[in-house]
Amino acid sequence: MRPSPGRPPPPAEGGRGLTGRIIEEVVDQPGALPMISHALLETRHRRRGRLLTLAAYEESSGVRGMIATTAEQVYTRLSAEHRRAARRILLRLIAPGTTTPAKP
């Protein structure tokens, strides 16, 4: 298949380009679609010209690196009071049942 006039040819990355790399990182993960969306958005911010590239994606440490960086940026912008609240909420999300009675 030939590229359209005025468009660059697709990158030759041995079949394991940007799409394949993102899919590899999120396959079988709950919440994969929002993770892919976030990865593409962050890759778009790092693009060169009009193309999303594997290099731009790798600059940000992949899906987990992008999510961690974004979470840290959001958390540091919170006031001290909101950070305490966020911490309580997040800790309850990762340790369910520790502050609630067990169900029979």
Side-chain angles (χ1 to χ4, degrees):
M1 181 162 71
R2 295 177 45 179
S4 301
R7 291 201 172 171
E13 296 177 13
R16 191 174 172 258
L18 176 60
T19 304
R21 178 69 180 277
I22 293 172
I23 298 301
E24 283 176 9
E25 288 193 48
V26 301
V27 70
D28 297 328
Q29 295 291 317
L33 195 54
M35 293 168 71
I36 291 169
S37 176
H38 188 71
L40 290 172
L41 178 65
E42 291 301 313
T43 301
R44 181 177 175 264
H45 293 309
R46 291 170 176 78
R47 76 183 186 272
R48 288 173 186 83
R50 293 176 34 191
L51 296 177
L52 300 181
T53 64
L54 184 56
Y57 175 79
E58 290 175 339
E59 284 176 16
S60 57
S61 303
V63 172
R64 285 176 182 33
M66 291 179 203
I67 291 170
T69 299
T70 300
E72 189 66 34
Q73 290 170 349
V74 169
Y75 185 77
T76 58
R77 286 186 286 209
L78 296 174
S79 67
E81 180 182 349
H82 287 123
R83 282 187 198 153
R84 285 190 296 275
R87 182 173 168 75
R88 281 193 310 273
I89 292 166
L90 293 169
L91 288 173
R92 289 178 81 182
L93 288 172
I94 61 169
T98 58
T99 59
T100 58
K103 293 184 179 183

